[in-house]
Amino acid sequence: MPRIDSSGSSSHPLETTPESSGAPPAAPKQGEPRPSAPAARNELRAFEGASSRKSEAPAKTSTARNELRAFDGPPSRASESPAKAPTARNGLRAFESASSRTAESPLRSSPPPEKAGPPVSAGELSALGGRLRPPASKDVPEEVFQGIRSHLTRSLTDWTVSAADVRAVHGALGALPPGPYGAALERMERDGLLRAYVNAQDAGSRRAFLEQAEGKGVLQRSKGEVGPVDALGYPAVPDFFVNDARLPPAMRDAVNAHAIDVGVGFYKAHGEYLVRYALAVDQAASRRELGALGPPRAARLSESLLGLDWKDPARKDYEAAWKAGIGRPKSLNLTFQHVTARERELSGERAAGTVRLQGKLGAGTDSAQWAVKGSLDTRGQRELKGEAGVTLRSGPLKLELSQDTAGKKEATVKLDLGLVELSLDSGGAQRVAVGLGKALQAQVTLNPRKAEFEGGISAKVKADGDQAGVEAGFSMKGLSAQRARQAVDPGHRGVFQQPVELEARTAWDDLPRATRAAYVKDGWNQALWTQALAR
């Protein structure tokens, strides 16, 4: 038991190390480094740093217990020896910076993203032979730009920008990568060269230039429709380049000029479609075939196809220039009139608005007549038929009964007043004829029911009870009251609408006989009706 003096301190330490007990230290084994002498108890040692620890022996002995040492951070496993001795218990070591540990690690960090260059696909890497190309520069090579300038600058010896100059500039720009390409356009805009380049382009070279800019990532394209829309070749809505407000002004003008070219081409193709539609209407053999064509389609191009932003201050100017440049499409009024006229012809009626030249050559007696009639109208419809009839007389009144080779029957009542002759037939035609001598007559006919007006002149020669005559005149067809009512009747079934019985899923055999006969005249039969019901 050690002695404790009055001052509170002991003349001997509370615990002694093996060295203080008088026993000699154990000799180190062969091949091991000599252990360093232990530091004094409670000794404070300065920060040794990473380099000092690397130079320590692999078998470092422990320091005195309760020694306070500065914390030197977590050990670097890559540089430590496999048999490093632990430090003294409760030792404090200084924190080592991340740079010192990074230097000890064998792994390298990757370069920052801004210096890593553009991404490269496996195909591009194979084409480059496994070597990455350095990041592309956006600077325009000076010799290339000066070459562009030489083609777009006017002088006394070269006072115009020719088509060859345009092709040369197009080739020089096409050889630039995307980055320098955009920089070249911006520099050309600042120097006024882009305006000269655009103004010298025709429609083909302008399109090639814009497609080149699209390929370089400068322009965007709004996709239209693909291929003809129907069997008659209605044109598909074309593609348009987006007129972005961030583009150079001269390039925006080129984009709008190209949009005008595209719009004009679309309207031209639509006009050709209407011609093909009219030919198909003329070739329709029945109302059913005519209705199967469907109504003609109008040409519509919206300003939204230009891709102009609503906040773009130049939007209204570009839209106005585009509308004025493309003009207006052909109206469908004439096409619908063509359809209506053909429908009337297929129904056995004359088309409204037509003018017909007609003639008649006849012979007979006072009680029987034979005649041949012929006509040709402004739609090219021709007609030639024979007619035969009988006449019954009673004073100034005459009754004529006739039938033509088409099976049409007609009855006419005439009142002969000498100089003037009045007549009315079963079809509603009212006729007034005025004599011009013994053989000639001028006549006017009005048919309110059919909306027809006729005029002409006739000559008749009589001898010994026999007679011969000739007539020549014209006939104009208007819109009848019945057709006018159908035009405004919402319940009227047009040629492009299916029959009411077909929509009601009525079988062909269940139709009344008169209704079936009318549909047969329109081109329907039992097989077609059954096919339509199956859809």
Side-chain angles (χ1 to χ4, degrees), residues 48-297:
E48 295 175 354
S51 60
S52 63
R53 294 197 308 275
K54 290 182 181 179
S55 60
E56 290 178 355
K60 183 177 179 182
T61 59
S62 60
T63 57
R65 191 173 65 175
N66 298 332
E67 174 190 358
L68 295 179
R69 299 185 62 189
F71 176 63
D72 56 357
S76 177
R77 298 178 181 177
S79 60
E80 288 178 355
S81 60
K84 183 176 179 182
T87 57
R89 189 173 62 178
N90 300 330
L92 297 178
R93 304 182 66 184
F95 171 70
E96 293 181 359
S97 63
S99 59
S100 63
R101 296 197 307 274
T102 303
E104 296 172 3
S105 174
L107 300 177
R108 290 187 176 180
S109 60
S110 60
E114 64 272 9
K115 296 182 181 180
V120 180
S121 65
E124 293 174 337
L125 187 62
S126 175
L128 294 173
R131 297 185 299 273
L132 292 175
R133 75 182 113 195
S137 173
K138 293 187 178 181
D139 295 334
V140 185
E142 189 62 27
E143 63 275 8
V144 174
F145 190 81
Q146 293 304 323
I148 294 174
R149 183 188 296 276
S150 65
H151 287 289
L152 299 177
T153 303
R154 297 175 177 86
S155 63
L156 293 177
T157 58
D158 187 10
W159 52 275
T160 184
V161 179
S162 63
D165 293 327
V166 172
R167 289 192 297 269
V169 173
H170 182 79
L173 289 174
L176 295 175
Y181 183 89
L185 293 183
E186 294 176 358
R187 186 174 175 185
M188 290 172 65
E189 175 67 25
R190 291 194 302 269
D191 295 352
L193 300 178
L194 188 57
R195 177 70 59 184
Y197 179 44
V198 168
N199 292 340
Q201 294 171 345
D202 57 10
S205 57
R206 184 187 303 115
R207 180 186 181 92
F209 166 58
L210 297 179
E211 289 177 347
Q212 181 190 76
E214 180 192 14
K216 301 293 184 179
V218 177
L219 267 182
Q220 300 295 326
R221 184 196 298 253
S222 62
K223 297 297 182 181
E225 298 174 336
V226 179
V229 177
D230 57 16
L232 293 176
Y234 179 85
V237 176
D239 298 349
F240 284 86
F241 290 107
V242 178
N243 198 335
D244 198 323
R246 294 169 294 182
L247 296 174
M251 193 168 201
R252 298 194 69 186
D253 293 346
V255 170
N256 204 60
H258 174 72
I260 293 176
D261 296 337
V262 171
V264 171
F266 177 77
Y267 283 167
K268 181 181 178 181
H270 178 260
E272 296 171 353
Y273 153 78
L274 293 180
V275 173
R276 292 190 296 270
Y277 185 91
L279 292 176
V281 168
D282 291 336
Q283 294 171 1
S286 64
R287 292 183 75 253
R288 186 194 63 81
E289 293 183 8
L290 183 61
L293 296 176
R297 300 184 56 177

Side-chain angles (χ1 to χ4, degrees), residues 505-521:
R505 318 300 296 174
T506 304
W508 177 263
D509 294 334
D510 296 338
L511 295 175
R513 180 173 298 180
T515 304
R516 284 203 305 265
Y519 284 141
V520 168
K521 186 179 179 180

Side-chain angles (χ1 to χ4, degrees), residues 243-391:
N243 198 335
D244 198 323
R246 294 169 294 182
L247 296 174
M251 193 168 201
R252 298 194 69 186
D253 293 346
V255 170
N256 204 60
H258 174 72
I260 293 176
D261 296 337
V262 171
V264 171
F266 177 77
Y267 283 167
K268 181 181 178 181
H270 178 260
E272 296 171 353
Y273 153 78
L274 293 180
V275 173
R276 292 190 296 270
Y277 185 91
L279 292 176
V281 168
D282 291 336
Q283 294 171 1
S286 64
R287 292 183 75 253
R288 186 194 63 81
E289 293 183 8
L290 183 61
L293 296 176
R297 300 184 56 177
R300 293 185 179 90
L301 290 178
S302 173
E303 300 90 340
S304 61
L305 296 171
L306 302 179
L308 293 165
D309 190 84
W310 284 102
K311 298 180 180 180
D312 188 352
R315 177 178 61 86
K316 292 185 177 180
D317 293 338
Y318 279 124
E319 288 180 352
W322 180 69
K323 289 180 180 179
I326 65 176
R328 300 179 64 86
K330 285 188 175 181
S331 173
L332 298 183
N333 290 338
L334 293 177
T335 306
F336 275 113
Q337 291 178 14
H338 196 75
V339 172
T340 303
R342 184 58 179 165
E343 180 191 7
R344 299 290 186 268
E345 293 168 358
L346 295 173
S347 302
E349 303 177 16
R350 283 181 60 189
T354 58
V355 177
R356 183 172 65 185
L357 299 177
Q358 56 192 15
K360 178 180 179 181
L361 180 63
T365 63
D366 290 341
S367 59
Q369 298 85 31
W370 299 268
V372 177
K373 294 181 177 180
S375 64
L376 175 65
D377 66 12
T378 51
R379 284 185 47 81
Q381 298 297 315
R382 298 180 297 273
E383 187 178 38
L384 182 64
K385 59 185 178 180
E387 184 182 66
V390 296
T391 302

Side-chain angles (χ1 to χ4, degrees), residues 374-507:
S375 64
L376 175 65
D377 66 12
T378 51
R379 284 185 47 81
Q381 298 297 315
R382 298 180 297 273
E383 187 178 38
L384 182 64
K385 59 185 178 180
E387 184 182 66
V390 296
T391 302
L392 303 177
R393 294 176 180 269
S394 176
L397 289 177
K398 293 190 296 185
L399 176 61
E400 295 181 356
L401 303 175
S402 63
Q403 181 176 347
D404 58 24
T405 54
K408 180 182 178 181
K409 297 179 180 181
E410 190 175 68
T412 305
V413 178
K414 292 184 179 182
L415 176 62
D416 189 357
L417 301 177
L419 184 63
V420 178
E421 184 180 68
L422 305 177
S423 65
L424 176 65
D425 64 19
S426 57
Q430 306 169 9
R431 179 183 179 191
V432 178
V434 179
L436 301 174
K438 294 183 179 181
L440 297 178
Q441 273 187 338
Q443 55 198 18
V444 176
T445 304
L446 179 63
N447 192 332
R449 188 185 305 173
K450 296 182 179 180
E452 293 179 352
F453 175 79
E454 299 179 3
I457 192 171
S458 63
K460 185 180 293 185
V461 179
K462 295 182 179 181
D464 300 332
D466 297 328
Q467 61 184 4
V470 61
E471 294 182 9
F474 67 92
S475 173
M476 294 186 297
K477 173 69 174 178
L479 184 64
S480 64
Q482 179 184 3
R483 293 298 183 181
R485 287 192 297 269
Q486 290 177 354
V488 296
D489 183 8
H492 175 67
R493 308 293 294 183
V495 67
F496 298 118
Q497 295 174 302
Q498 289 186 339
V500 178
E501 296 83 359
L502 190 60
E503 289 188 351
R505 318 300 296 174
T506 304

Side-chain angles (χ1 to χ4, degrees), residues 36-53:
S36 58
R41 188 175 62 177
N42 299 332
E43 174 187 356
L44 295 178
R45 298 183 64 186
F47 170 61
E48 295 175 354
S51 60
S52 63
R53 294 197 308 275

